[in-house]
Amino acid sequence: MATLKLDNVKKSFGKTDVIHGVSIDVNDGEFIVIVGPSGCGKSTLLRMVAGLETVTSGEVQIGGKVVNDVEPMDRDIAMVFQNYALYPHMSVFDNMAYGLKIAKVSKDEISERVQTAAKLLQLEPYLQRKPRELSGGQRQRVAMGRAIVRKPAVFLFDEPLSNLDAKLRVQMRLEIKALQRELGVTSLYVTHDQVEAMTLADRMIVMNAGVADQIGAPLDVYANPATEFVAGFIGSPPTNFIDASLVDGQSGRIGVRPEHIELSDTGRITATVGYAEALGAETLVHLRASDGSQITVRQDAALPIPGEGETRGLSWADENIMRFDASGLRQ
């Protein structure tokens, strides 16, 4: 168990700055998710914690110790990768035990740790199988088991569910959350999937072009986004953005989430219905405002679905308006 601290961590490749100074104090046992689109720097940040990328400036601390110049194998971390990184010629047992053998742990202790992890991950029937004989979800469990037996101070996850189908991703993220809670290990988890971030994180770091736009608990970030980028990235469907001059003559843009807009005969603005998606419990109605803005309204499935080409008013309460200035900062 350990705390983790990033103190104004920066990364440059030559003259190109890719991480612009990220700071966070991670509590012992806390689950932090780094989320953002491709190319935002989230994996680079994780790799600096792992020691796979050098830190240009700032400090990475694990358990109160600065590890900038410490080799990855000596940082007391365990990493779970997107591609599982299993040895195809080894059994499940040997894959999970390999790191312990390299560390010269005794055979009895290796067996005990592997058996304990296998029971925790429901892998006991598969210990003598090769990775090719396992499903994608089982392979990911083996990769997590290999990390668990190390008994690290910090778990690092680099988009571990990206190769799984949608249903299995839901199941596996529930298992990861439950497992992390049971083990109580400080964890740093990278994903581009904001649903994963919302459901897994104690706190999340929302990355935007190498900058931590916002750090906070998922529901706090959702309810009170600090920037236009965060408001647009966190939430599905994303926030609607409308030129404020259309609504009240002011400059900048306003944001309103789809669930906070109602269709009516009259409203703050009018828009033309493009199409509707009936999803069972809810319907998403997609419209276009007079300035060309695309607007999505989430409504209960019991409400009438408007027809394509209809002009409808859009209404929302003042307390649900988010205002952003020209630079994208929340006003």
Side-chain angles (χ1 to χ4, degrees), residues 64-303:
K65 177 185 176 182
V66 177
V67 296
N68 289 38
D69 300 319
V70 176
E71 291 295 319
M73 64 180 294
D74 298 321
R75 293 194 179 196
D76 200 11
I77 56 97
M79 195 161 180
V80 179
F81 297 93
Q82 176 181 344
N83 62 359
Y84 317 138
L86 302 177
Y87 296 106
H89 63 287
M90 291 185 182
S91 67
V92 168
F93 183 97
D94 288 337
N95 265 284
M96 292 171 66
Y98 184 73
L100 299 179
K101 291 179 180 178
I102 296 297
K104 301 188 184 305
V105 175
S106 70
K107 287 185 178 181
D108 287 345
E109 186 172 353
I110 288 175
S111 179
E112 180 183 349
R113 289 198 199 181
V114 171
Q115 292 290 345
T116 299
K119 183 177 181 179
L120 193 63
L121 295 164
Q122 301 176 18
L123 287 172
E124 291 173 293
Y126 311 106
L127 286 174
Q128 299 311 313
R129 293 191 187 183
K130 299 289 182 16
R132 66 176 178 272
E133 301 174 273
L134 305 178
S135 68
Q138 289 166 341
R139 292 180 195 179
Q140 192 54 273
R141 287 192 184 95
V142 175
M144 288 191 289
R146 182 178 53 197
I148 290 168
V149 299
R150 298 264 315 270
K151 295 184 177 179
V154 177
F155 277 142
L156 303 177
F157 297 89
D158 191 7
E159 304 212 40
L161 307 184
S162 294
N163 290 336
L164 305 180
D165 62 54
K167 183 177 180 180
L168 191 52
R169 280 203 303 272
V170 174
Q171 177 186 336
M172 287 300 298
R173 73 172 181 247
L174 293 175
E175 291 183 8
I176 288 175
K177 183 72 170 180
L179 184 64
Q180 193 270 343
R181 282 286 178 267
E182 183 169 346
L183 297 174
V185 179
T186 306
S187 300
L188 203 58
Y189 185 108
V190 162
T191 182
H192 64 275
D193 186 333
Q194 52 94 18
V195 175
E196 275 183 33
M198 291 289 292
T199 54
L200 285 173
D202 294 322
R203 286 187 294 160
M204 57 187 183
I205 305 172
V206 185
M207 295 292 294
N208 175 23
V211 175
D213 259 24
Q214 190 166 358
I215 299 174
L219 292 180
D220 289 340
V221 172
Y222 182 85
N224 300 292
T227 67
E228 187 174 320
F229 172 82
V230 174
F233 189 79
I234 299 299
S236 181
T239 294
N240 298 294
F241 296 105
I242 304 165
D243 189 329
S245 63
L246 282 180
V247 181
D248 52 28
Q250 298 185 26
S251 61
R253 298 219 293 174
I254 67 167
V256 187
R257 293 205 178 272
E259 61 268 29
H260 294 150
I261 302 179
E262 294 183 358
L263 300 180
S264 57
D265 293 330
T266 60
R268 292 175 182 258
I269 64 172
T270 59
T272 303
V273 176
Y275 64 98
E277 296 177 282
L279 302 178
E282 64 184 16
T283 301
L284 301 181
V285 183
H286 302 276
L287 308 97
R288 183 183 295 273
S290 59
D291 69 341
S293 301
Q294 294 286 346
I295 298 176
T296 300
V297 176
R298 173 187 272 149
Q299 65 176 34
D300 189 275
L303 295 173

